[in-house]
Amino acid sequence: MHTAQDVTQLIGNTPLLHLKQVSEQTGCTILGKAEFLNPGGSVKDRTALGIIRAAEEAGELQPGGRIVEGTAGNTGIGLTLLANALGYQSTVVMPITQSKEKIDSLELLGADLHLVGATSYSDPNHYIHTAERLAQKLAAKEPHGAIWARQFDNPANMAIHARTTGREIWQQTGGKVDGFICAVGTGGTLAGVSTALKDKNPSVRIGIADPAGASLCSYFKHGDLAPSDGGSIVEGVGINHVTGNVAEAKVDSAFTITDEEALPYIFDLLRHEGLCLGGSSGINIAGAVKLARELGPGHTIVTILCDYGNRYQSKLFNPVFLENKGLPVPEWLKI
């Protein structure tokens, strides 16, 4: 019997899950990588582990040191869990607009949490820039030093996804994967997986599913950062600048996905397949359906099931919130 020695050994090696309804709709085999099964409940546990291990190997992270990060929540949760397990401290800077459940989770885990106003990346008060300044300040006064995790531009982010997520997908499909698609928060998953799969087979088609209001669909299609119309309630994905990780992604197809398209997939998965997942999984599944239609029936497409839906219960599964936003409300949620 294999015994995990610590929480780090519970990260990764997540199964692929056959998504029944969308596979039947498209005539393709659509598979979701069950990243919600990681100990911190999301794909970002991999990113957190990759960043910590790289900082340890470089001698930047000292025993008892502090890890500072700007995050929409999930990377902060992963970093805090790992900091607790490995003898570090964790400071998280997060936009105050993120779900109450993620804020509560970070407080429960004991993160030093700093909530800041939501603003554009070009604003010096953006949560990423705030985290960088805070890391510099803490590095000067903390007894064991502090590092800025900088997940958006840190090559350790895409590296762990190339080394683990991408390789796992290749092995789990026996090399019979025709397409991979996901949304982008930092670009680490897309860059790492696309690199790993293209190394094995350059004809694997890589797609990006971009929420409404984000700019990367336009970037990969036209080379400019023109945001698409509208906006999205989905947290943690959809950006308007090219990160260090995004710059390394190998993308063939780009789609803009509206909340109106994405949310029904989330509701159907819960109602008919027993899966309660977050909004980014809805964006990803909608993207997988579009990629399936582009490739045609008989292909195998993999996407990422990023995190659990209970992390967004007060928004995604709140009929009043959805109605106020003019978004679809499933019959079984209506009061």
Side-chain angles (χ1 to χ4, degrees):
M1 187 177 80
H2 173 69
T3 302
Q5 297 305 306
D6 62 34
V7 73
T8 66
Q9 293 180 6
L10 301 177
I11 295 172
N13 293 309
T14 55
L16 285 177
L17 182 66
H18 181 258
L19 300 176
K20 189 164 172 277
Q21 279 195 307
V22 288
S23 295
E24 287 173 0
Q25 278 170 27
T26 58
C28 286
T29 298
I30 297 181
L31 307 171
K33 194 129 174 64
E35 291 299 296
F36 54 87
L37 294 177
N38 286 307
S42 89
V43 64
K44 295 295 190 167
D45 286 6
R46 295 187 193 251
T47 300
L49 182 61
I51 287 170
I52 287 174
R53 291 303 190 216
E56 289 172 339
E57 284 166 25
E60 294 164 1
L61 186 56
Q62 304 302 323
R66 184 170 292 278
I67 306 157
V68 183
E69 186 55 321
T71 165
N74 282 338
T75 304
I77 288 168
L79 284 170
T80 304
L81 276 180
L82 292 174
N84 291 352
L86 301 173
Y88 302 118
Q89 309 295 315
S90 169
T91 292
V92 172
V93 182
M94 190 164 85
I96 201 164
T97 49
Q98 301 306 288
S99 72
K100 179 183 182 296
E101 291 86 353
K102 280 196 287 199
I103 294 168
D104 290 346
S105 294
L106 283 161
E107 288 177 341
L108 169 68
L109 298 175
D112 168 34
L113 181 60
H114 298 249
L115 295 174
V116 297
T119 182
S120 69
Y121 182 75
S122 58
D123 187 323
N125 293 317
H126 187 271
Y127 68 95
I128 296 173
H129 309 314
T130 305
E132 180 181 14
R133 287 194 301 273
L134 190 55
Q136 290 166 350
K137 187 171 132 189
L138 291 169
K141 67 177 194 180
E142 286 273 333
H144 304 288
I147 64 158
W148 176 35
R150 62 184 191 93
Q151 58 172 330
F152 290 81
D153 298 303
N154 192 329
N157 182 353
M158 72 166 282
I160 195 164
H161 283 292
R163 196 167 64 245
T164 67
T165 323
R167 282 187 194 169
E168 288 167 29
I169 290 168
W170 183 260
Q171 288 162 358
Q172 288 168 324
T173 58
K176 293 178 170 58
V177 53
D178 302 298
F180 173 81
I181 188 164
C182 69
V184 160
T186 64
T189 305
L190 187 64
V193 172
S194 65
T195 299
L197 294 180
K198 292 270 194 190
D199 281 352
K200 292 287 191 182
N201 177 5
S203 68
V204 175
R205 193 155 189 87
I206 304 295
I208 177 174
D210 215 23
S215 300
L216 292 185
C217 180
S218 181
Y219 172 74
F220 284 110
K221 271 188 168 175
H222 310 297
D224 62 47
L225 283 167
S228 59
D229 292 339
S232 175
I233 65 163
V234 177
E235 296 182 15
V237 294
I239 56 175
N240 296 88
H241 64 289
V242 177
T243 68
N245 284 286
V246 167
E248 300 300 320
K250 297 164 172 61
V251 173
D252 304 300
S253 298
F255 307 101
T256 292
I257 310 290
T258 65
D259 288 355
E260 288 81 0
E261 290 174 284
L263 294 184
Y265 290 114
I266 292 297
F267 302 142
D268 285 349
L269 270 181
L270 179 52
R271 196 68 174 148
H272 303 295
E273 299 186 51
L275 284 170
C276 181
L277 299 177
S280 54
S281 297
I283 300 278
N284 287 350
I285 294 164
V289 168
K290 288 196 173 185
L291 188 60
R293 297 214 163 108
E294 189 173 271
L295 290 174
H299 292 90
T300 297
I301 292 157
V302 178
T303 192
I304 302 288
L305 307 179
C306 310
D307 62 2
Y308 284 110
N310 57 0
R311 204 158 269 182
Y312 311 93
Q313 188 171 349
S314 57
K315 293 183 179 180
L316 271 184
F317 298 94
N318 176 349
V320 175
F321 177 84
L322 294 170
E323 281 168 4
N324 285 343
K325 295 282 183 183
L327 292 169
V329 181
E331 283 300 318
W332 49 270
L333 254 190
K334 288 180 180 171
I335 298 166

